[in-house]
Amino acid sequence: MDRMHELVKLLNEYSYQYYTLDNPTVADVEYDRLYDELLALEKATGVVLDDSPTQRVGDKSLKKFNTVKHLGRLYSLDKCQTKEALSEWLDKLVKLNGNKMPLCSLEYKFDGLTINMLYKEGKLVRAATRGNGIEGEDVTEQVKTIRCVPLSIGYLGTVEVQGEGIMRLSELEKYNKKEGVVPLKNARNGVAGAIRNLDPKVTAERKLEVICYNVNYIEDREFASGKEMIDFLKENKFKISDYYLLTDDKNQLIESLDNIQEKRPKLDFLIDGAVIKVNDTALREVLGFTEKFPRWAMAFKFPAEEVTTTLLDVIWQVSRTGKINPIAILDPVDLAGVTVSRATLSNYSEIKRKDIKINSRVFIRRSNDVIPEITGIAEHTDKSVDVVAPVVCPACGSKVEWNGVFVKCTNKNCAPAVISAMSHFVSRDAMDIEGLSEKTLEALYNEKKLSHFIDIYSLKEEDLLALENFKEKKTNNILNAIEQSRNTTLDKLIFAIGIPNIGKKAAKQLADKYKTMDALMRATKEDLLTLDDFGEIMAQGVVDYWSDEKHVEDIKTLIERGVTISTKEVASGPLEGKKVVLTGSLPHLKRSQAKDLIEQNGGESFDSISKSINLVIAGEDAGSKLAKAQKLGIEIIDEARFLELIGYQL
C-alpha cells in the first residue's frame, strides 16, 4: 500500500506538470512504466485509491444522467457589446465606490461548457454541468477522464470549483482527421457532446481541458479578492488561464479589449469575449446580485466568429496552380462585423466528409481576415441536394484529373490559372509591379500579349496603349514599375514564381539558407526538411517544382530579360546571429518598427517559438509564446532591455 500511495502521488504530479503546466518532466516511457506498475498492484490487491490515475480510463458507461444540486448557485453574466455600454457600467462602479475606480480583473470569456467540481476531504467527489444554476447533470465519470482536472487537492475542506470545459482547436483538427469518426462541427459542440455523453470513453478520446476561474463555494474560508481566489486555484493545481489582467485604470481596461480581440484568431481555443470583475470581494458583497447575475461582473461580447446560414450553391474556380477549387455561395450573413456571402470548401473530399449539401444550413467560421470556411452542417432540409464535382474544367472545358483530393484542369494554358499566376507574380510581396491589375493582365492575355509571367518583361509601350482607357501617363507608370522590379531580392523572386505551398515566410527561409537560385534548384528533400516548420509536402513541392525543366528555363529567361537578384547585406550589430521573436504589445514601438530594429542590428525576426530561437522580446499580454519560451529556457527581455541592448533612444 505504501508503494501504491507513492506511485499515485508521483504519477499525479507528472500529470499536473504535463497537462496543467504544459511542462513535462518525465519521458512517456517512464510514466507508462510506473502506471503499469500501479495497475498491477491494484489488480493484485483489489484496492484502487480514490485519486489513482487509473480511474481516468472512462470504462464505466452510464445508463442516464442524474440531477444534482450545486452547493453554491452558479450565476450567468450580464453582457454588453459596445465600449460605450461598458464605459457606462464602469462609471456606475466608480460612483458606488466613492468616485474611485475599483481594482478590476480582465479575463478571457471561454466558449465551452461550464463545469462545477465538488471536492471533499481533498478528493474529487462530483462534477456537474451548470444546468439552471441551481441543479445540473452529474458528469463525474466524464470529467475524471480530463487529465488536467486534479483527482485530489491539498485543501481538505468542502469546496466547489467552477471552470469551463474546452476542446483546443488543434485537438479538434486532429480528432476530425481520424479514420471513421464523424467530424465535429466545432470545438464548442465537441466539448458539449463529450461531457454530455453517457460513455466516458468519448470524453477521453477528445482530450478536453477544464480552465478554472472561480471558487463557487467554500465552507471555512473567505477570500479577500478575486486574485486571492485565483491564487488558491493555482496552489491546488487547477489549470487556470494564462491571461489575467488587474488594473484600476479604466482606459487600460477598455484598451486591453482590443489586444484580446487581436489575439483571438491566433488562440488555440474559442473565446467569445472577455469578463470584467471587481476584484475586492467586500465590494462584491455591497454590489450584490440580481435574480440572474452578479452586479460586480460584466461580459464584453465580441462579434460572432461563427454563425449559421444557408448554402445556396457551389461554384468551381480555377486557381493559379490549375486546381479547381469549390467556393460556397451563401445566403449573406453578418459575421465578425462583415457581411459574408462566400466561403471556402477546401476540396471535394472535405465536402463529402462533412456531408455538405446545397440548400442545407451550415456553420461558417471566420478567423482573422481570411475567407470564411464551412465547419459543418447545422441541418439538412427537404430541398438539400448533393454537391457534384466537375468532370470538365468550368473555365476552358478541358478534361479534369484527380490529384489526391483535388480536381485539376489538364490544360496548362487555362486562362484563369495563367492570369492568376501572373497576378501573383506582380503582387506587392512578390515583384511589386504597381499598375498591372488582374483586369489589365486579363486584357493583355486576351490580346495575346501575355501568356506567362516571363512575358511581362517583353511588354512594349504600344502593347499597353492598345488597351482600352490606356493613355501615355498610365502606360509609362506601368513600364517604369516593370523596370524598377527588374532588380529584386531572392526571397521576393522565390515567392513570385509560385512554388506550391511556399508562402512569403517560407520563401525568406529558402533565400536565407541557399543564398542563390542555383543552390535552391539543387536542394534535396532531406536538406529542405532541416528548415523550421518545413514538412514533407513543402519539401517535396520544392523538389518537384525544379524537376520540371520548364521552370528552370523560366528563371534563365527572366535573367536574360534583365531581372537581377541583389544580395541582401546582413547587418552587423549586438543581435548578430540571433533569431528573435516578438510577443505581446510593446509600450513604445510598433511591431514593424521593432522588427526593423532587430534586422538593422544583425538579428533575424521570427514569428514562432522553437528550439532554434535565441531571444524573445516580451511586451504586455504576452501569452502562449512567452510560456513556451520559458519552458525551453530561451532568454527573455522586455522592450526597455531591448532598446538598451541595441543602444536605441526613443
Side-chain angles (χ1 to χ4, degrees):
M1 287 300 296
D2 287 346
R3 179 57 177 165
M4 286 173 70
H5 278 286
E6 182 184 357
L7 286 169
V8 166
K9 184 178 179 182
L10 193 58
L11 288 166
N12 283 340
E13 179 62 23
Y14 288 153
S15 287
Y16 167 67
Q17 290 162 350
Y18 186 94
Y19 294 104
T20 303
L21 300 182
D22 297 321
N23 183 32
T25 55
V26 67
D28 289 349
V29 65
E30 175 65 9
Y31 181 94
D32 292 343
R33 185 184 67 76
L34 296 172
Y35 185 91
D36 290 343
E37 183 186 348
L38 176 61
L39 206 59
L41 287 171
E42 289 177 346
K43 189 174 180 181
T45 61
V47 175
V48 179
L49 298 173
D50 289 341
D51 55 344
S52 170
T54 62
Q55 290 198 95
R56 295 190 187 275
V57 175
D59 55 3
K60 181 179 173 185
S61 198
L62 309 178
K63 292 181 180 178
K64 66 171 186 175
F65 287 110
N66 294 316
T67 300
V68 294
K69 192 170 183 179
H70 305 303
L71 297 185
R73 180 171 172 179
L74 275 67
Y75 286 86
S76 57
L77 292 170
D78 196 6
K79 300 173 182 67
C80 65
Q81 291 183 298
T82 66
K83 290 180 180 177
E84 291 74 21
L86 177 61
S87 182
E88 287 177 15
W89 179 74
L90 291 171
D91 287 342
K92 287 180 184 176
L93 290 184
V94 170
K95 192 174 181 181
L96 292 167
N97 191 44
N99 293 320
K100 182 183 177 184
M101 176 69 188
L103 189 64
C104 290
S105 65
L106 182 66
E107 308 166 42
Y108 290 146
K109 186 178 182 297
F110 292 95
D111 192 6
L113 185 75
T114 300
I115 304 293
N116 197 34
M117 297 170 291
L118 174 63
Y119 289 80
K120 289 185 177 181
E121 297 178 354
K123 300 291 187 291
L124 174 64
V125 296
R126 192 179 73 206
T129 61
R130 181 184 178 278
N132 61 11
I134 298 170
E135 294 178 329
E137 291 174 320
D138 189 335
V139 288
T140 308
E141 295 304 315
Q142 288 82 350
V143 171
K144 278 184 176 180
T145 69
I146 301 174
R147 296 283 182 170
C148 67
V149 173
L151 298 177
S152 61
I153 60 175
Y155 177 73
L156 301 180
T158 300
V159 61
E160 276 186 340
V161 172
Q162 185 179 352
E164 193 83 355
I166 64 167
M167 185 177 192
R168 289 191 176 268
L169 300 178
S170 53
E171 292 297 341
L172 174 71
E173 186 179 0
K174 287 179 195 172
Y175 181 87
N176 279 346
K177 285 181 178 176
K178 288 181 182 176
E179 290 282 337
V181 303
V182 177
L184 298 169
K185 295 170 184 176
N186 52 45
R188 189 190 314 104
N189 287 39
V191 68
I195 296 291
R196 301 192 71 260
N197 194 297
L198 292 170
D199 185 358
K201 281 186 179 177
V202 173
T203 320
E205 285 171 0
R206 296 191 188 173
K207 298 186 178 175
L208 308 183
E209 296 177 18
V210 176
I211 310 296
C212 297
Y213 52 81
N214 183 45
V215 175
N216 191 50
Y217 170 91
I218 193 163
E219 65 175 352
D220 59 359
R221 176 172 174 173
E222 291 185 355
F223 296 104
S225 66
K227 178 64 169 62
E228 191 177 307
M229 199 179 292
I230 294 294
D231 290 341
F232 170 84
L233 294 173
K234 195 172 181 180
E235 288 162 12
N236 283 277
K237 299 186 177 179
F238 290 96
K239 186 156 192 148
I240 60 172
S241 172
D242 62 358
Y243 184 90
Y244 188 84
L245 173 69
L246 268 179
T247 182
D248 58 3
D249 184 330
K250 177 183 170 182
N251 291 331
Q252 184 189 8
L253 198 61
I254 293 175
E255 287 168 7
S256 295
L257 293 171
D258 291 333
N259 295 333
I260 296 176
Q261 205 161 351
E262 187 181 328
K263 291 164 65 173
R264 184 187 183 193
K266 302 169 189 172
L267 297 174
D268 194 27
F269 45 80
L270 297 179
I271 63 171
D272 57 0
V275 180
I276 300 96
K277 300 176 188 173
V278 170
N279 187 52
D280 187 341
T281 51
L283 181 54
R284 288 183 182 185
E285 288 183 21
V286 172
L287 295 169
F289 297 80
T290 68
E291 183 59 30
K292 294 182 179 179
F293 46 74
R295 290 192 176 94
W296 43 264
M298 177 67 73
F300 183 86
K301 294 278 282 183
F302 295 149
E305 283 195 324
E306 184 175 74
V307 293
T308 57
T309 190
T310 301
L311 174 62
L312 301 177
D313 197 6
V314 173
I315 61 173
W316 297 82
Q317 291 186 339
V318 184
S319 73
R320 63 183 171 86
T321 60
K323 286 179 186 174
I324 305 174
N325 298 322
I327 304 294
I329 306 300
L330 307 166
D331 189 12
V333 63
D334 186 70
L335 176 62
V338 176
T339 299
V340 170
S341 59
R342 292 188 170 208
T344 181
L345 284 167
S346 188
N347 57 63
Y348 191 65
S349 175
E350 280 293 286
I351 291 173
K352 300 303 287 183
R353 195 168 72 88
K354 293 177 180 177
D355 196 27
I356 292 168
K357 298 184 179 185
I358 295 168
N359 296 324
S360 294
R361 287 193 64 77
V362 294
F363 287 101
I364 58 170
R365 178 172 173 77
R366 181 174 183 266
S367 295
N368 228 343
D369 293 321
V370 299
I371 186 170
E373 65 170 322
I374 291 180
T375 57
I377 287 290
E379 62 175 346
H380 292 306
T381 69
D382 55 3
K383 294 181 180 178
S384 296
V385 293
D386 290 337
V387 178
V388 180
V391 291
V392 295
C393 174
C396 69
S398 301
K399 287 183 180 180
V400 301
E401 63 181 8
W402 286 91
N403 183 356
V405 297
F406 295 102
V407 191
K408 288 196 77 172
C409 176
T410 55
N411 176 14
K412 290 189 177 180
N413 295 314
C414 183
V418 173
I419 293 165
S420 182
M422 290 193 293
S423 183
H424 174 78
F425 184 84
V426 304
S427 63
R428 179 174 294 179
D429 291 326
M431 300 303 283
D432 192 16
I433 305 176
E434 193 174 346
L436 274 183
S437 66
E438 190 161 328
K439 186 178 177 182
T440 300
L441 291 167
E442 184 178 357
L444 288 164
Y445 176 86
N446 291 335
E447 291 293 322
K448 303 191 185 314
K449 301 300 180 185
L450 292 182
S451 61
H452 193 279
F453 56 69
I454 60 175
D455 299 332
I456 290 167
Y457 291 100
S458 297
L459 277 176
K460 297 181 176 62
E461 185 178 15
E462 54 265 32
D463 297 331
L464 292 165
L465 285 172
L467 300 180
E468 188 178 356
N469 297 324
F470 263 71
K471 304 294 182 189
E472 193 173 329
K473 184 178 179 182
K474 188 174 181 180
T475 296
N476 286 336
N477 286 343
I478 290 177
L479 291 173
N480 287 335
I482 292 172
E483 192 60 36
Q484 287 175 15
S485 75
R486 290 182 197 273
N487 184 25
T488 188
T489 56
L490 182 58
D491 58 321
K492 280 181 170 286
L493 185 56
I494 293 169
F495 179 60
I497 59 179
I499 301 173
N501 302 306
I502 299 301
K504 202 167 55 167
K505 177 186 172 185
K508 188 176 185 306
Q509 286 180 278
L510 292 171
D512 289 344
K513 180 174 176 66
Y514 294 103
K515 311 299 182 189
T516 69
M517 194 66 86
D518 284 342
L520 175 59
M521 289 176 182
R522 295 192 301 270
T524 64
K525 182 179 175 181
E526 292 71 25
D527 197 31
L528 288 160
L529 285 170
T530 62
L531 288 163
D532 284 347
D533 302 324
F534 259 67
E536 292 277 336
I537 293 173
M538 289 174 72
Q540 190 62 54
V542 174
V543 173
D544 289 347
Y545 186 85
W546 295 120
S547 67
D548 187 338
E549 195 60 35
K550 173 69 172 63
H551 295 145
V552 177
E553 287 300 318
D554 288 343
I555 298 299
K556 289 180 181 176
T557 304
L558 285 172
I559 292 169
E560 286 169 4
R561 294 183 183 180
V563 173
T564 59
I565 302 169
S566 62
T567 306
K568 191 175 179 182
E569 288 187 23
V570 179
S572 60
L575 298 180
E576 190 171 347
K578 288 189 180 291
K579 296 180 178 179
V580 187
V581 168
L582 290 162
T583 181
S585 303
L586 299 181
H588 303 99
L589 296 174
K590 290 182 180 178
R591 187 170 289 266
S592 57
Q593 288 178 292
K595 284 187 174 182
D596 287 344
L597 286 171
I598 289 167
E599 292 181 1
Q600 288 166 18
N601 285 274
E604 286 184 87
S605 179
F606 289 80
D607 293 324
S608 57
I609 299 289
S610 67
K611 290 180 181 178
S612 65
I613 298 300
N614 310 109
L615 181 66
V616 170
I617 302 167
E620 296 174 8
D621 302 332
S624 58
K625 288 183 185 178
L626 178 60
K628 189 172 181 181
Q630 289 169 333
K631 191 191 305 182
L632 292 172
I634 297 168
E635 183 184 359
I636 299 163
I637 62 174
D638 60 12
E639 184 195 71
R641 175 67 185 121
F642 167 58
L643 295 175
E644 180 187 347
L645 190 65
I646 63 174
Y648 184 86
Q649 290 188 342
L650 292 168

